[in-house]
Amino acid sequence: MNYQESLKKISEYVVQLYFQNPNPHLYFHNIAHKIKVIDAVNKINIRYDLDEKNYFIVCASAWFYDAGIITGTFPSYQTKSAELAEHFLKTINTPEEEINEIKKYIFLSETTQQLNTLPEKIFHDAVYFNLGSLYFAEDNKALRKETEAF
């Protein structure tokens, strides 16, 4: 499997989802947030240097983990995100084992999950990276506004 090519297809698909399904209430969970999460994955991975397969799983999970929110299923968008991921990943011939891992990671974005492996921890930390960032105050206001809108 060509992981880089698959990640390119995933990123194009998810970006397209956001543009084809504009939601004026996504003040936080928008494409800018998605890019910040992917950037956080890359920053964290500089330190840990995951192998190609685990890097793919973490990145694919980061692209999909909140994509379900564009359907308006807030706050339980993870289920829809997992469905979107599974459907698309099958179209690009992703092995079932990796699809299941990605779906599992999507649910790890919830704050109370038990994290057992380094890739799980990297994914989770990337999702919450903004909490320790310079843009936290701005993101927090946007998330509050989004929550109120939904």
Side-chain angles (χ1 to χ4, degrees), residues 93-112:
N93 300 315
T94 306
E96 195 69 31
E97 175 188 337
E98 291 166 21
I99 292 172
N100 290 334
E101 280 292 298
I102 291 164
K103 288 169 50 180
K104 179 180 91 173
Y105 280 40
I106 288 169
F107 290 98
L108 291 176
S109 65
E110 298 172 355
T111 58
T112 59

Side-chain angles (χ1 to χ4, degrees), residues 40 43 125-137 139-140:
K43 285 179 180 175
D125 285 354
V127 169
Y128 290 98
F129 196 80
N130 70 308
L131 295 177
S133 73
L134 296 174
Y135 44 84
F136 168 74
D139 284 354
N140 195 41

Side-chain angles (χ1 to χ4, degrees), residues 29-86:
H29 289 101
N30 52 38
I31 201 66
H33 170 68
K34 180 70 55 200
I35 300 304
K36 288 177 187 174
V37 173
I38 297 300
D39 186 51
V41 167
N42 289 321
K43 285 179 180 175
I44 296 167
N45 192 50
I46 288 170
R47 166 69 170 89
Y48 294 102
D49 195 27
L50 293 174
D51 63 54
E52 197 175 25
K53 178 181 176 182
N54 282 306
Y55 179 76
F56 168 77
I57 291 168
V58 171
C59 285
S61 302
W63 276 109
F64 279 110
Y65 91 94
D66 60 356
I69 203 165
I70 64 173
T71 65
T73 55
F74 189 83
S76 60
Y77 54 83
Q78 286 95 348
T79 300
K80 184 63 177 175
S81 297
E83 291 170 5
L84 288 168
E86 180 174 29

